Amino acid sequence: QVQPVESGGGVVQDGGSLRLSCAAKESIASIAAIDWHRQVPGKQRRWIGSITNRGTTVYEDSVKGRFAISRDNAANTVYLQMNGLKPEDSGVYFCKYMKNAINYWGKGTLVTVSA
């Protein structure tokens, strides 16, 4: 199975921090980009950020300055460092990458920020 696995979710207070991990089951060094998405109940998943194979990152406006994506190619792992968490950041966080025109999604990890 090539589905990545997210971990690191949990319950934190408003203003707290979490670091999520996305562990791939294959080499990620040559994958063009790995993305993070967030989904809340009853709504569609929304893209929140990406990291390219060169290490370049881009973010959705609401998380700029608070979230940071990094990668460790040797560990086949991408991280999402989340600081200054707000209640509206709550949701299930998914990582995703595309290989040979197919999107591979993890099952998600739940983040709850107390209001």
Side-chain angles (χ1 to χ4, degrees), residues 46-107:
R46 295 183 63 189
W47 171 86
I48 59 171
S50 299
I51 186 166
T52 72
N53 60 331
R54 295 181 178 270
T56 302
T57 55
V58 290
Y59 303 94
E60 192 271 331
D61 286 345
S62 70
V63 307
K64 287 180 180 177
R66 299 189 298 119
F67 290 11
I69 303 171
S70 60
R71 62 191 295 158
D72 183 345
N73 287 347
N76 295 325
T77 301
V78 168
Y79 302 98
L80 176 62
Q81 178 68 48
M82 305 185 294
N83 301 319
L85 284 164
K86 308 172 182 179
E88 53 263 43
D89 293 320
S90 297
V92 179
Y93 284 72
F94 300 85
C95 66
K96 185 268 289 182
Y97 63 86
M98 185 172 69
K99 186 177 182 180
N100 300 133
I102 301 296
N103 287 324
Y104 293 89
W105 292 87
K107 295 181 179 179

